[in-house]
Amino acid sequence: MSIKAGYLTPHPPLIIPQVGRGMEREIENTIEAYKKVAKKVKDYSPDTLILISPHAPAYLDYFQIASGSEMSGTFEDFGAEDVKVQIDLDQDLSDLIIEEGRKKDLSLGYKGNTELLDHGSMVPLYFIQKEYSCPIVRLSVSGFSLEEHYKYGMAIQKAVEKSEKRVLVIISGDLSHYLDKEKDNYSEIGEEFDNLVEKSFETGEFLDLLLLEEDYINRAGECGLSPLAVFMGIADGYQVNGEWMSYEAPFGVGYGVGEFVLADKNKDRKYLKKMIKFREEKLRDTRESESEIVRLARHSLESMVNLGEVEDPKWKLSSYLLEEKAGVFVTLNKNGKLRGCIGTIQATQENMAIEIMKNAVSSGLKDFRFNPVKEEELDELVYSVDILGKSEEIESFLQLDIDKYGVIVESGNRRGLLLPNIESVKSVEEQVNIALDKAGIGPNEDYILKRFEVTRYF
């Protein structure tokens, strides 16, 4: 195998002495582990390093690869403009990765801004270049599922084999950001996630991480799993031996350093089919237990996409749907990622059934953040429907609860809304700030604050 090993490396800028100004001494174990990684890289003397950074330019539906002959960056944004990192890029291997990725129908290429190195790339290179330098392939992650990141890794494996180059992989990523028990965003799942990563390095097994669900990942608050999934795809079909080299979290963020070494081929370690089977079984279970309200939303979008019109339901609707009125939000997810969400704050139709049908179609076809849903995607969509209660004006954040109440902010004709119980929202302040941002209302402007309750259907 031309790819010899992969190294998980955290990227806190304060680990750089000119940035940390003494704070780096709080993560001395991480620094020592970094020095060991740099020496291991030197011992392997690879022709090329593949570096996967979650802070490189990232897109919802595109894997970006850095283009050109060289790149550089400084830590100016962190108060250390004199610290510079410069690299030469391996354009030939990058071209091969794009070629192999397109064979797997992946959306990838050189589009986008690649002028400067990001800190997720610079921090590991700062240490590695003290011992060894070689050309780099700098990769980003995306908004795609873990399954797609794994497929990306499989394409990279094929490209490296074609190139016949000796390659190491640098997996830049911090672990949970929710480990400070004094903060509102603390999450026990964050600690659990970090333990799962450690276990993966100790055992060389990947599947527990690859099958994590999106709501769990959001609650973990990490930035290393997608880069890890790419490496796991790179190692597809190979036995892997791991070593957990260091872990500490003095600032409420998990910093883990680990090594994966590729060994012999192992047909039992081809995980893509297992990931697909897991997703299909979960989707089937979801469909079998879905509520009438969600069934109606799904029927509406599917008939519009397949037939060009919303077909009347093939079952008798309940009186609740035909007689009641309410604001409704329909949310679509695909492979654990948001695929569309549109709704109405108050009833706009003669009954709730029509409200659901219209908003389901809009969520799939008119959410400007996404391309319209295609027929081949329909079987992969997971629906939820929120029925909104009446809103009431409130005076204080103390009257909000992110799990129980949604929030509405209003100033003149500007209005922003955020639903309750969103996994990535960790505080009332964050909930309100997101709503303000959606409305285009500055945090220092006067605005009316309202709350409402929802009933969520799956």
Side-chain angles (χ1 to χ4, degrees):
M1 176 62 169
S2 300
I3 297 174
K4 303 302 180 183
Y7 295 93
L8 175 67
T9 56
H11 48 242
L14 61 79
I15 202 172
I16 309 301
Q18 295 91 327
V19 176
R21 303 177 189 274
M23 291 182 69
E24 72 275 9
R25 290 192 288 270
E26 298 287 329
I27 48 174
E28 190 63 39
N29 291 338
T30 301
I31 293 172
E32 291 304 311
Y34 246 125
K35 292 177 180 178
K36 291 178 183 178
V37 168
K39 291 186 182 298
K40 286 175 178 283
V41 173
K42 180 181 179 181
D43 291 342
Y44 276 112
S45 297
D47 300 313
T48 298
L49 284 176
I50 292 176
L51 194 156
I52 311 161
S53 170
H55 296 293
Y59 302 87
L60 283 174
D61 56 357
Y62 186 77
F63 290 111
Q64 191 209 54
I65 300 174
S67 61
S69 59
E70 62 182 32
M71 291 182 74
S72 65
T74 74
F75 287 91
E76 179 180 3
D77 289 345
F78 305 97
E81 62 183 43
D82 294 336
V83 182
K84 183 177 182 180
V85 176
Q86 185 165 345
I87 61 172
D88 295 324
L89 292 169
D90 187 333
Q91 190 76 51
D92 292 338
L93 181 53
S94 297
D95 288 343
L96 281 174
I97 290 172
I98 293 173
E99 178 184 321
E100 292 299 320
R102 289 176 177 165
K103 289 179 182 177
K104 293 185 177 294
D105 295 322
L106 295 171
S107 174
L108 78 172
Y110 296 126
K111 291 188 296 185
N113 179 13
T114 58
E115 294 180 1
L116 297 174
L117 283 172
D118 62 289
H119 75 273
S121 301
M122 290 191 293
V123 170
L125 291 172
Y126 171 86
F127 289 94
I128 291 168
Q129 288 184 344
K130 290 180 181 295
E131 296 286 343
Y132 186 80
S133 292
C134 66
I136 306 289
V137 173
R138 205 286 300 278
L139 308 177
S140 70
V141 296
S142 75
F144 288 127
S145 65
L146 292 182
E147 189 179 301
E148 290 294 294
H149 284 80
Y150 190 93
K151 286 172 64 177
Y152 188 26
M154 293 171 66
I156 294 167
Q157 180 193 112
K158 294 294 185 185
V160 173
E161 288 172 350
K162 273 191 175 182
S163 75
E164 298 184 348
K165 294 181 177 182
R166 289 169 55 87
V167 172
L168 295 180
V169 182
I170 305 301
I171 311 156
S172 179
D174 294 338
L175 301 183
S176 176
H177 294 58
Y178 299 155
L179 302 179
D180 189 340
K181 294 183 178 180
E182 301 300 317
K183 291 186 177 179
D184 290 340
N185 65 2
Y186 168 75
S187 171
E188 290 184 1
I189 285 179
E191 292 187 24
E192 188 178 286
F193 172 81
D194 286 10
N195 289 334
L196 282 174
V197 174
E198 179 177 352
K199 180 181 177 183
S200 181
F201 277 90
E202 290 174 343
T203 63
E205 289 295 328
F206 299 157
L207 202 55
D208 285 348
L209 288 174
L210 291 171
L211 297 184
L212 290 177
E213 297 184 28
E214 188 67 19
D215 60 343
Y216 183 99
I217 295 168
N218 287 335
R219 292 168 71 184
E222 50 67 53
C223 68
L225 185 55
S226 292
L228 277 167
V230 176
F231 175 80
M232 291 168 184
I234 290 171
D236 179 70
Y238 282 84
Q239 187 63 40
V240 173
N241 300 314
E243 179 187 355
W244 193 235
M245 300 169 66
S246 171
Y247 178 82
E248 50 195 347
F251 308 116
V253 179
Y255 303 137
V257 181
E259 176 187 51
F260 283 130
V261 178
L262 275 66
D264 297 329
K265 286 190 175 182
N266 183 341
K267 63 180 181 180
D268 293 330
R269 291 181 60 89
K270 290 182 174 289
Y271 291 133
L272 184 60
K273 287 184 178 179
K274 295 180 181 179
M275 296 171 73
I276 293 172
K277 182 180 179 182
F278 175 83
R279 171 173 53 81
E280 289 176 345
E281 289 178 348
K282 185 176 184 299
L283 186 59
R284 184 178 64 248
D285 291 343
T286 299
R287 291 283 170 87
E288 289 176 353
S289 62
E290 71 183 7
S291 64
E292 180 193 21
I293 285 174
V294 168
R295 183 185 178 195
L296 178 61
R298 179 166 62 85
H299 167 83
S300 303
L301 179 58
E302 288 181 352
S303 62
M304 176 59 80
V305 173
N306 289 324
L307 304 174
E309 61 181 1
V310 177
E311 188 179 38
D312 288 339
K314 299 176 180 179
W315 68 96
K316 184 179 180 180
L317 295 176
S318 66
S319 58
Y320 173 64
L321 291 175
L322 295 174
E323 297 173 5
E324 298 293 329
K325 295 182 179 182
V328 171
F329 272 75
V330 178
T331 301
L332 311 176
N333 284 279
K334 177 183 173 183
N335 296 327
K337 301 286 188 180
L338 182 67
R339 185 62 180 85
C341 181
I342 282 181
T344 44
I345 296 175
Q346 298 173 332
T348 62
Q349 305 298 324
E350 63 187 75
N351 60 42
M352 196 185 301
I354 298 175
E355 200 88 34
I356 292 168
M357 296 166 75
K358 286 186 173 293
N359 290 348
V361 171
S362 294
S363 293
L365 304 181
K366 297 182 180 180
D367 188 332
F368 69 89
R369 296 169 296 179
F370 305 95
N371 292 324
V373 167
K374 297 179 181 179
E375 183 177 349
E376 57 266 26
E377 296 180 86
L378 292 173
D379 288 341
E380 301 178 80
L381 297 180
V382 175
Y383 297 69
S384 64
V385 179
D386 290 301
I387 307 299
L388 277 61
K390 292 183 178 180
S391 62
E392 58 179 344
E393 189 171 335
I394 58 175
E395 301 296 329
S396 167
F397 283 14
L398 296 175
Q399 295 171 273
L400 290 173
D401 181 319
I402 59 173
D403 295 322
K404 182 177 181 180
Y405 296 113
V407 65
I408 299 171
V409 293
E410 296 178 351
S411 179
N413 60 359
R414 293 173 294 170
R415 175 188 284 178
L417 176 147
L418 198 67
L419 296 169
N421 197 22
I422 297 176
E423 296 292 351
S424 59
V425 176
K426 298 298 180 181
S427 68
V428 166
E429 289 76 14
E430 184 180 4
Q431 183 188 39
V432 174
N433 284 335
I434 293 172
L436 288 170
D437 186 61
K438 291 173 72 173
I441 301 171
N444 296 321
E445 291 186 59
D446 291 332
Y447 59 88
I448 296 170
L449 183 63
K450 296 181 179 181
R451 71 181 185 185
F452 61 92
E453 294 189 67
V454 308
T455 303
R456 181 163 294 166
Y457 294 87
F458 296 97

